[in-house]
């Protein structure tokens, strides 16, 4: 099976190369083809998203991506390659599992999956002037809600989750969020998954005060953006937060963190989010056993006290990886 590996910029290549080593330790039959994207790609090839990369993405079911750095100086011609990919491949669901991988990480004992709408909502970018201010258009369509909820239900079945919660603000945004809530109950009825709903402000509080009552959250673009960062911070930080942007043809797996230019090249980046993204990719490709091994090794490595600095430890990326691969070899 062929997949794309796109290391990108900053700490992207540092963490993705470690995730690739982890994949190689559990699965020998993946053909991992490397491709370029981002600022480094622009400096080398003149394009932030070379055609070769796009062609490869058209040919594979999945890609593992690191992070990219935006242009250092203002470039009016710049279009985010990630946004282009999201549009071109219609990656409509952003899925972020957030779990506290060890009891002394983070603040809250979370184990949730946030399924966020990725194509519309507040992020249409459509703004216009009116007297004295600006109006932002916010789009909510039935079709986008339907496929998002269907994806959340499918995911819940695949992952053995019992409850999906629709997170919205329909007490204020009666028509748009009301539509989302209505579609949610229509599509979850008879699905075998328990369904309930919550206002977004209540969900933000519940992540802290009632984390065990939350299981799978399905929500619109802006709410998901904010809640997933909150959840990641509560569960131990960006170094442990994997994600996927999923369409019907392509799934792009990536750590939630960015290219972290402040620590790039220093050998201190935490590769765990990239490894957990790789595990999600393996599960998506039907390799559940291999994925569970990568995850179990994260748990054991952390429980042995091996930590990178962002997690309160002293290890650099390579030292952490040495411990991780040793643990992985015993599973
Ligand atoms: P970008 O502009 O590419 O999004 P950023 O630095 O603004 O980059 P992040 O990359 O998300 O945003 O990082 C935010 C902070 O978290 C950084 O200061 C970085 O030091 C820290 N950080 C992010 N990811 C990691 C990681 N994997 N390991 C250690 N620290 C990290």
């Amino acid at each position: 099976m062929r997949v794309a590996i796109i290391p990108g910029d900053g700490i992207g290549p540092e963490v993705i190369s470690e995730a690739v080593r982890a994949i190689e330790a559990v699965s020998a039959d993946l053909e991992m083809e490397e491709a370029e994207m981002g600022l480094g790609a622009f400096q080398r090839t003149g394009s932030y998203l070379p055609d070769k990369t796009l062609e490869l993405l058209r040919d594979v079911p999945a890609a593992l991506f690191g992070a990219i750095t935006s242009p250092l100086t203002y470039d009016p011609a710049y279009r985010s390659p990630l946004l282009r990919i999201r549009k071109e491949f219609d990656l409509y669901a952003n899925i972020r599992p957030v779990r506290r991988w060890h009891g002394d990480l983070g603040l809250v004992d979370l184990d949730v999956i946030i399924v966020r709408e990725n194509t519309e909502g507040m992020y249409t970018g459509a703004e216009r002037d009116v007297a004295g201010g600006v109006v932002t258009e916010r789009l909510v369509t039935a079709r986008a809600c339907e496929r998002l909820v269907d994806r959340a239900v499918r995911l819940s079945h695949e992952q053995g989750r019992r409850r999906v919660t629709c997170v919205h603000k329909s007490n204020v945004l009666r028509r748009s969020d009301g539509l989302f809530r209505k579609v949610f109950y229509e599509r979850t009825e008879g699905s075998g998954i328990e369904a309930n709903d919550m206002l977004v402000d209540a969900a933000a509080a519940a992540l802290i005060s009632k984390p065990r009552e939350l299981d799978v959250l399905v929500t619109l673009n802006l709410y998901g953006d904010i809640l997933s960062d909150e959840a990641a911070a509560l569960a131990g930080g960006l170094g442990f937060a994997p994600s996927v942007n999923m369409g019907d043809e392509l799934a792009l797996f990536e750590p939630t963190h960015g290219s972290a230019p402040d620590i790039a090249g220093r050998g201190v980046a935490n590769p765990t989010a990239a490894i957990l993204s790789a595990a999600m990719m393996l599960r998506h490709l039907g390799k559940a056993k291999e994925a569970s091994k990568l995850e179990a090794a994260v748990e054991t490595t952390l429980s042995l006290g091996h930590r990178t600095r962002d997690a309160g430890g002293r290890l650099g990326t390579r030292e952490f990886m040495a411990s991780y691969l040793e643990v992985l070899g015993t599973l």
Side-chain angles (χ1 to χ4, degrees):
M1 206 179 307
R2 194 158 159 247
V3 297
I5 303 289
I6 310 177
D9 303 314
I11 62 169
E14 297 170 40
V15 296
I16 293 300
S17 57
E18 302 302 356
V20 165
R21 289 170 77 200
I23 293 173
E24 284 168 349
V26 294
S27 175
D29 65 342
L30 266 196
E31 201 187 313
M32 294 186 268
E33 195 163 320
E34 201 167 309
E36 290 194 291
M37 180 160 100
L39 188 60
F42 175 72
Q43 286 157 349
R44 283 186 296 272
T45 70
S47 168
Y48 289 95
L49 180 54
D51 288 344
K52 232 174 122 188
T53 301
L54 273 175
E55 277 159 30
L56 176 63
L57 290 176
R58 286 191 195 103
D59 269 2
V60 293
L64 181 62
F65 160 66
I68 51 172
T69 304
S70 308
L72 307 173
T73 50
Y74 175 67
D75 175 358
Y78 178 74
R79 280 176 67 207
S80 159
L82 267 184
L83 284 184
R84 269 188 70 193
I85 289 178
R86 240 181 248 175
K87 264 223 154 87
E88 169 133 1
F89 294 91
D90 198 16
L91 305 180
Y92 58 86
N94 177 235
I95 301 172
R96 298 191 187 185
V98 183
R99 177 170 158 196
R100 187 191 214 182
W101 285 91
H102 190 265
D104 61 12
L105 292 174
L107 303 163
V108 171
D109 195 15
L110 269 180
D111 185 5
V112 298
I113 303 178
I114 298 176
V115 181
R116 164 190 170 198
E117 206 290 319
N118 219 9
T119 62
E120 51 185 41
M122 199 63 128
Y123 295 8
T124 53
E127 295 190 311
R128 63 192 152 82
D129 295 324
V130 290
V134 178
V135 169
T136 302
E137 282 176 17
R138 178 176 175 277
L139 178 71
V140 178
T141 65
R143 176 169 176 262
C145 296
E146 283 162 11
R147 63 182 183 172
L148 184 77
V149 173
D150 290 351
R151 171 62 70 179
V153 167
R154 208 171 334 145
L155 182 83
S156 302
H157 282 300
E158 284 163 10
Q159 311 257 329
R161 300 280 178 153
R162 69 198 150 79
R163 181 193 289 153
V164 185
T165 303
C166 170
V167 176
H168 60 90
K169 190 71 182 170
S170 71
N171 57 337
V172 178
L173 299 164
R174 290 183 184 276
R175 294 190 57 202
S176 52
D177 281 28
L179 171 66
F180 173 46
R181 186 172 175 276
K182 176 172 156 281
V183 167
F184 170 77
Y185 280 113
E186 283 167 4
R187 306 297 275 203
T188 48
E189 199 185 336
S191 68
I193 304 283
E194 189 188 325
N196 67 357
D197 72 283
M198 215 179 244
L199 293 174
V200 62
D201 40 347
L207 281 170
I208 300 167
S209 60
K210 296 186 273 189
R212 282 292 160 189
E213 288 182 24
L214 304 178
D215 195 354
V216 175
L217 306 182
V218 58
T219 192
L220 300 177
N221 210 335
L222 176 65
Y223 310 143
D225 191 3
I226 297 170
L227 290 179
S228 55
D229 267 27
E230 180 197 351
L234 290 171
L238 285 175
F240 297 93
S243 78
V244 58
N245 286 300
M246 195 167 272
D248 288 328
E249 308 292 332
L250 176 72
L252 183 76
F253 295 83
E254 58 168 318
T256 300
H257 61 73
S259 64
D262 55 329
I263 56 165
R266 291 178 33 205
V268 298
N270 183 353
T272 309
I275 293 170
L276 293 172
S277 302
M280 286 173 76
M281 179 170 81
L282 291 181
R283 189 167 282 114
H284 178 68
L285 297 171
K287 295 176 173 289
K289 210 169 71 212
E290 291 84 345
S292 297
K293 267 193 190 177
L294 291 190
E295 291 164 349
V298 165
E299 229 168 341
T300 308
T301 308
L302 293 172
S303 70
L304 291 171
H306 302 307
R307 308 281 161 88
T308 46
R309 290 183 208 175
D310 57 305
R314 301 157 68 100
L315 302 183
T317 313
R318 276 274 146 159
E319 295 160 296
F320 176 82
M321 253 343 256
S323 312
Y324 177 81
L325 290 173
E326 199 178 316
V327 169
L328 192 57
T330 65
L331 297 177

